[in-house]
Amino acid sequence: MLHTMLRVRDLDASLDFYQRICGMRLLRRMDFSEGRFTLAFVGYGEENDTTVLELTHNWDQREYTIGTAYGHIAIGVADIFAATQDAAAAGAKVTRAAGPLQGDRNEIIAFIEDPDGYKVELIQHKATTA
C-alpha cells in the first residue's frame, strides 16, 4: 500500500493532530491553486518505505460526512496508557479508554478522534523476544 487519503476541513488542525499528538511528520505538502485543494502527506517513515497518510483539503468544501463503511486508522504504541493520557492532555478526544479488546484480553487498545471526527485506534505493541 502507498497511502490512505482522508478529506479534512481544517488542514492546520489536522496537521497539528497527526504531528503533535500522533507523532507523525510532514513529508510533503502541495497546493493546487487551479484545482483549489492542498495535499499534505504525513507518516512515520519515508513514502518509498512505508504507508503514509494523505490529508486532502478542498478549499471550498467545509463539511464531509464520514461514511459508515470507514473504520479507523491504527497506530502501534509502546505504552498505551501513557499514549492515551498524553493524547488527552494534548487536547485529543478519547472515545475509548485504554483497555482490553472484547474477546481478546491480551490485545490492549484505545481510541482517539482527530479534528474531523475520524477514529484513530492506539494498539499496545507486544514486546517480542528472540
Side-chain angles (χ1 to χ4, degrees):
M1 287 181 54
L2 299 175
H3 66 261
T4 297
M5 185 271 273
L6 297 177
R7 289 182 177 89
V8 300
R9 291 182 298 250
D10 181 338
L11 184 57
D12 291 332
S14 294
L15 285 171
D16 178 64
F17 176 85
Y18 286 103
Q19 291 178 99
R20 188 173 54 86
I21 294 174
C22 295
M24 296 180 188
R25 63 185 176 86
L26 179 62
L27 303 171
R28 63 186 167 113
R29 178 180 175 154
M30 300 167 299
D31 293 316
F32 296 88
S33 56
E34 267 188 51
R36 301 194 49 75
F37 67 94
T38 300
L39 302 180
F41 290 81
V42 296
Y44 295 110
E46 297 303 319
E47 288 181 74
N48 58 344
D49 295 328
T50 63
T51 302
V52 301
L53 187 60
E54 173 190 333
L55 304 175
T56 299
H57 176 249
N58 294 297
W59 301 352
D60 302 318
Q61 182 75 31
R62 289 291 175 222
E63 293 301 320
Y64 296 102
T65 301
I66 297 175
T68 57
Y70 175 80
H72 59 268
I73 298 163
I75 298 173
V77 297
D79 181 339
I80 195 159
F81 297 100
T84 305
Q85 184 177 28
D86 291 348
K93 179 179 179 184
V94 177
T95 60
R96 183 198 190 275
L101 174 68
Q102 188 175 357
D104 183 355
R105 312 279 309 151
N106 295 316
E107 182 89 357
I108 308 299
I109 66 169
F111 278 90
I112 59 177
E113 201 171 86
D114 85 353
D116 287 284
Y118 292 112
K119 302 291 189 248
V120 177
E121 179 182 21
L122 305 177
I123 302 174
Q124 176 83 37
H125 265 279
K126 295 181 177 94
T128 57
T129 56

